[in-house]
Amino acid sequence: MPAPLALPPAPRRRVALLILGLVALLAVGLALFHYFTGAERTLPVVTVPQLTPVPTTLAPLKIGLDELVLRLNGYLVTQTYDVAGPYVQPEAAMAWLGLLAVCLVYFLAVVSTLARPAFVVGMALVIFLLMSLNADLLGVFDSLQQYFLVLALALLGLPAFAFHAFWPAATLGQRLLTFAVLVSALSAILLLQSNFSPAFTALHLASYATVSGAVVFALLVLWVAFENIHGLLWLNTQAENPGSRFGLLPFVLASGLYLGTLLLYYLNDGEVLILPNIRLDPYLLLLPAVLVGWLGLRRRAATYGTWVGYWPGAAHIYLVLVTLAAGSLGYALATANDPLITAGRDFTALALLTCGGAFLLYVLLNFAPLIRQRLRVYLVVYEPRRLPFYTVYVIGIGALGIVSMRNNFFVLDQVRAAFYNNLGDLSRLQSEEQPTNDGLALLSERYYAESDVYDRFNHRASMGRAALYRFRSQRQNEINALRRALSRAPSEKISLRLAALFNEPSDFFDRQKTLQEGIKNAPQSARLANDLAQLYTRSALTDSVLFYQQRAAALAPDDAVVRANQLAFLVQNQELKAAQDFLRENVPQPEDVALQSNALLLAQLIGDKEATANPLLVDSTQDLSAAEFGRLYHAGLHRLASRDTTLLTALNEVSNRHGNSAYSEQLTFLRALTQYYGGRPVRAQATLLPLVIGNSPSAAYYQQVRAMWLLDQGLYTTAAAYFAEAARNGFTEAALPRAYAFALAGQLDSAQAQAAVAARDPNPALARQGQRLRSILTLDFATQYPSAPDSIKAQYIVVRGAAETNPTTLLTAAEAIATPAARQVALLAQLPRVLATGDVEAVRAALQRHAPSPTTKNATASDWNVLRGKHYVQARQATNLRQLVSTAYFAPQHQPYQLYFQATLADKPADAAQLYAKLVKEAPYVTDGILAAADFHTRQRDYATAYDVLLKGLDYNPESTQLLKAYVLAAVPAGLVAYTEAPLKKLRTLLAPAEYATFRSKYEAQRAAQAAELAPWN
C-alpha cells in the first residue's frame, strides 16, 4: 500500500481543488439553466401564423367629382400554437462530455493516490465507464472491434497503476498534468478519427453515457440523502451561546415537517403544492443537501476515513461526483428526457425520505439527551455511542430497496427508457441526414418502441416517433402516436401538437375534441384557450370565441399572441371602433410583430395616417415569417399615400430571397405600388409585368391595376383595352372603370354599354356608381343640363366633353358653374380639349380668370401649372414658360411635365437631346413630350432616333392614335416603311373613315416625296 501523500502548503493545495470546485459550480449552473430552459429548447412551442385576406382600398382615383377605388387585400395575422422538435442538443452533449473529461482527469489522479482496495474499485468504475461509452462504434479504428477501448484502457490504466505502484511520491499536480495530456490525446484521436461530425460524436457518447450518468447521480443522492436533516441539526445547535440554540422539540418538528412533506410527495405521486401553482421539486431539495454535504465532509471523515482519506481523496472525489451528477442531470434536462428526469426526481425524493428518516432515528437514539441539553451536537454527530452510523444506510437503503421492489424497480425501467430515447434521437438524426435510408428510420422507431415498453407514460418517446413520422410526411402515423401518448397521460404540448395536425376544414371536430380535452386537463393553459378561440372563429359561435379569448387573456395578460388574435377578431368582424379602443389599451411593442401588422391594417382601414410615424426596421438578410410579411406589407401600403419609397431597397432584397417565395406575388405587387405612387410609373409597370401575363383570375386582377394606372395617367384608349383584357380573364369589376375610359376617350356608345353593365354589378356601391354614370352619359344638354345640380354639370363636362365637336361651348358652360369646386373640376377637364383644337386665346383667358397662383403648393395648383405649361408651349411663349418652370410648383406626379417643358426651352440641341432622352426613359406616358422629342430629332434629321422615341412611346401606350400617326410618318424617312403595315391597320380601326382617309393620303404623299428624294438623278 503506497504511503499517503503529505498535505502540500495550503495555497498550492487550494489551486487544484479550487479549479475543480469552479468546474462543479459550472456544472450545477448549467443544470439549473437547463432546468428552466431545457424543455422549451428541445420541444419549443412555436406559433403557427395564418394570413386571412381582408378587403381594403388605396387612395381613390378621381374622375372629376367621382372616385374609382382600387381594391386589394390586406392580411390579418392570427396565430395558433404547435410544438416543434424534439431537437437534439449537441452543445449540451459537448458540455457534458467536457465535464466528464475533466472529472476523469481528476478521478484518475486522485484514485492513483489511494490505498489498494480503493484504487481497484476506482479503476473498475473507470473501466465500466469507458466500456459503456461504446466509442468504437464511431469507427475510430474498426467499428466491429474494440481497439479504441483497449487503447483507452492502456493509456489511462497503465499510468494510473504506475503512479499507484511505482511513483507514489508524485505530486497531485504531476498526476493531474499527466492524465490531462492523456485524456486530451484520447479526445483528439476520437474526434479526428471518428467517421462522424464532432456534434454527432458528442451525441453518440452522451447517449451511451446515460446509464453511467444515472449511476453517478444515484451515488451522489445516496451520499447526501440525509444531509438536509444534518443541516437542520446544525441550525438547531450551532450557536455559540447555549441560550440561542434550539432544543429537541424544534429539531424534531422541523425534521418531521421536512420528512412529512417528502412522504406526501411519494403518496401523492409527486404532486405537492407548496404555494399556489408552485409544486415541490426534490431536485431543489438536493441543492442544500449537496452544500451541507460539502461543508460537513471533513467531519464526516470519521465514517469513511478507513477507506479513503479526506485529502486528497474525499475532497476531490466528492466534487467529481457532484460535477458528474450535475452534468448527467443537466443533459437529461437539456434533452427533456422525461423518463430519466422523473426517475431522478422520484429516486431523490425517496432517498431523502428513507435515508433522512434513518438519520433522524440515528440522531435521536444517539444524541437526543445532548440536544435536549442544547449542546453543540453537530460537532460529534459522526461519533455515535449507541447506534453506529452505518445503520443509517442499512435502514435507508433497505427501505429504499423495499419500496423499489414494491414498484417492480420501475426507476430502473425509466433509466432504460431514457437510454433508448437517446438512442432513438441519435438514429432519427441519422435518418434525417440520410432520408433514403429506411433502415435508420426503422431502427429509430424500434428504439422509441423499446422506450415505450419500459415506460408507457413516456411522452418523450412519443414525441420522437411523431417527429420521425412528420419528417417522412406520415401524418396518420403521427396522429396515432400522439393520440396513444395522450391516452396514457395528459400533456399540454402533445395536445397542442396533435391539434395542429388537424388543420383541414374537415378536421374541425377532431381539433375541437383534442383542445377541449387538453384544456380540461390543463385549465391554466393560455395556449390551449387561445387555440380554442381561434378554432371557433371558423364557426358562427362568436360567444365561444369571446369566452376563450377572455380566458386566454386572463391567464396570460401580456401574451402578444393572444392580443394580436383579439385585435384580428375585432377587425374581421368590422368592429373598427372597438378595435381602436383595444389598440389604445394594448400598444404594440417592437417585438409584437403580429400585433403591429394588425394595427397597421386597422390604420389602413380607418385611414389613420399617423400609424407609420416610426421607421420600420426590416432584416432583409433573413427570411420573412408570415407576421413579418404582414407587417412589411401593411407598412408599405400605408406609406403609399405619402409617396414614401424608403422601403424599396428592403422590398427588393426580401423579394430576391428564395425563402420568401411564398410571398413573392404580394411583395412584387407592393414593389410596383411603391414605385408607382413614388413617382416611378415606368418602373412600376415593368415590375408588374410578370403578374399581368396569363389569363388566370390573379392575372386579370393585375391587368385591372395596370389599366387603372393608365387611366390615372390620361391614356384612356390604352386603359380601355387593358380593362377589356381584364374582363375577358374574369375580373368582374372592370365594367365601371372601362366605361369611364371610353367616355374620356370620346367613345360614348361604348361607355354607355359598359355603364349599363356596371349598373347591374352585384356590388351595391359599384352598381350605384354605374347608374350615376349612365344617367350622366344620357343626359340631354339642351333640356336636362340647365336644371341639373352643379355636381352633375361638372361631371357631365368631364365625361362628355371629349365627344363634343365644339369644346368651346362646354368651356363656357364650365365657367358658368357656380360652385367653385365643381367649376374647377370642369375647367381642368375641358381646357385641355379646347387647347387641342388650337383655341389658345380662350385657354389663356380662362387661365387668367380661374387659375390659382403658380407658386401655390397643392395638387390642384400643380394640375393648373401643367395646363399653363402646355398653353405656353403651344402659344410659343418661351419667356412665360421659362418663368413657370423656374417658379411654379409641380407635384411629384407632374415632375415629368416640368422635364418636358425644360427640354422645350433648351437652347442647345445637345441639352435638348439629353433632356428628351431622360423624358423618354422616365415618362413615355407623357404623349406631348414623346411627340415633341420625336419632332426635335426629326428636325435634327436624326430619323432613327425619332423612330425609336415613338416606338418606346407606343410600347407604353399602344392605343394612342397620335403616337401611331407619328410613328407611321417617322418610319418613312427612317427607311422602315415595312414596319408600318400593322400600325396602319390599327389606325383604320381606331379612326373615323374620313379621318383615316385624310391621314392615309398624307402618308402616301410623304412616301412619294421620300421616294423622289432617294431616286437617282438620271
Side-chain angles (χ1 to χ4, degrees), residues 342-418:
T342 305
R345 188 175 281 125
D346 293 344
F347 181 81
T348 299
L350 197 56
L352 293 179
L353 174 62
T354 57
C355 294
F359 187 75
L360 177 62
L361 180 64
Y362 161 83
V363 170
L364 293 177
L365 289 177
N366 285 296
F367 307 107
L370 301 180
I371 298 174
R372 189 177 292 112
Q373 297 173 29
R374 301 192 177 188
L375 299 178
R376 306 183 77 180
V377 174
Y378 77 95
L379 295 173
V380 294
V381 70
Y382 296 115
E383 300 174 13
R385 299 298 182 185
R386 297 179 182 176
L387 192 67
F389 177 77
Y390 68 83
T391 57
V392 172
Y393 279 111
V394 171
I395 297 172
I397 295 177
L400 181 63
I402 292 171
V403 174
S404 298
M405 185 182 299
R406 178 184 177 277
N407 295 331
N408 295 319
F409 296 101
F410 183 55
V411 168
L412 299 180
D413 290 339
Q414 288 177 306
V415 173
R416 295 190 188 98

Side-chain angles (χ1 to χ4, degrees), residues 394-601:
V394 171
I395 297 172
I397 295 177
L400 181 63
I402 292 171
V403 174
S404 298
M405 185 182 299
R406 178 184 177 277
N407 295 331
N408 295 319
F409 296 101
F410 183 55
V411 168
L412 299 180
D413 290 339
Q414 288 177 306
V415 173
R416 295 190 188 98
F419 172 64
Y420 283 114
N421 277 344
N422 284 335
L423 294 185
D425 288 344
L426 199 63
S427 301
R428 177 168 59 86
L429 177 62
Q430 285 183 290
S431 73
E432 291 174 358
E433 292 174 348
Q434 305 174 43
T436 59
N437 192 335
D438 293 334
L440 289 172
L442 292 173
L443 179 62
S444 176
E445 186 178 27
R446 181 58 187 168
Y447 282 140
Y448 288 131
E450 286 292 324
S451 179
D452 260 342
V453 169
Y454 285 112
D455 183 2
R456 62 187 302 269
F457 302 106
N458 178 6
H459 282 161
R460 183 65 171 71
S462 299
M463 293 297 278
R465 295 175 83 170
L468 180 68
Y469 297 139
R470 175 172 290 193
F471 181 79
R472 294 182 173 267
S473 301
Q474 299 176 6
R475 179 175 179 267
Q476 192 56 50
N477 284 343
E478 184 179 1
I479 290 174
N480 294 340
L482 296 175
R483 277 178 166 166
R484 184 165 53 249
L486 283 178
S487 68
R488 296 171 178 175
S491 167
E492 178 196 14
K493 288 190 173 182
I494 293 182
S495 295
L496 288 171
R497 183 155 181 174
L498 179 58
L501 288 173
F502 296 127
N503 53 5
E504 299 295 332
S506 58
D507 296 331
F508 180 90
F509 293 106
D510 288 327
R511 187 181 180 105
Q512 180 190 40
K513 180 181 178 182
T514 301
L515 290 172
Q516 286 181 337
E517 289 179 352
I519 204 167
K520 180 181 178 181
N521 292 309
Q524 299 301 312
S525 173
R527 293 165 176 167
L528 290 169
N530 172 77
D531 280 16
L532 265 172
Q534 289 307 111
L535 175 66
Y536 286 123
T537 58
R538 304 181 190 174
S539 69
L541 302 177
T542 306
D543 54 341
S544 296
V545 177
L546 293 174
F547 172 78
Y548 283 109
Q549 280 187 344
Q550 292 168 1
R551 182 171 178 176
L555 292 169
D558 298 326
D559 193 328
V561 172
V562 175
R563 290 186 292 151
N565 289 345
Q566 287 179 293
L567 180 60
F569 179 71
L570 293 173
V571 173
Q572 192 170 9
N573 285 273
Q574 298 296 311
E575 299 179 29
L576 301 185
K577 182 64 170 64
Q580 294 176 66
D581 296 338
F582 176 85
L583 198 57
R584 276 192 289 270
E585 298 173 1
N586 299 271
V587 179
Q589 300 302 312
E591 64 274 10
D592 302 339
V593 181
L595 187 58
Q596 286 180 335
S597 175
N598 292 341
L600 286 168
L601 176 57

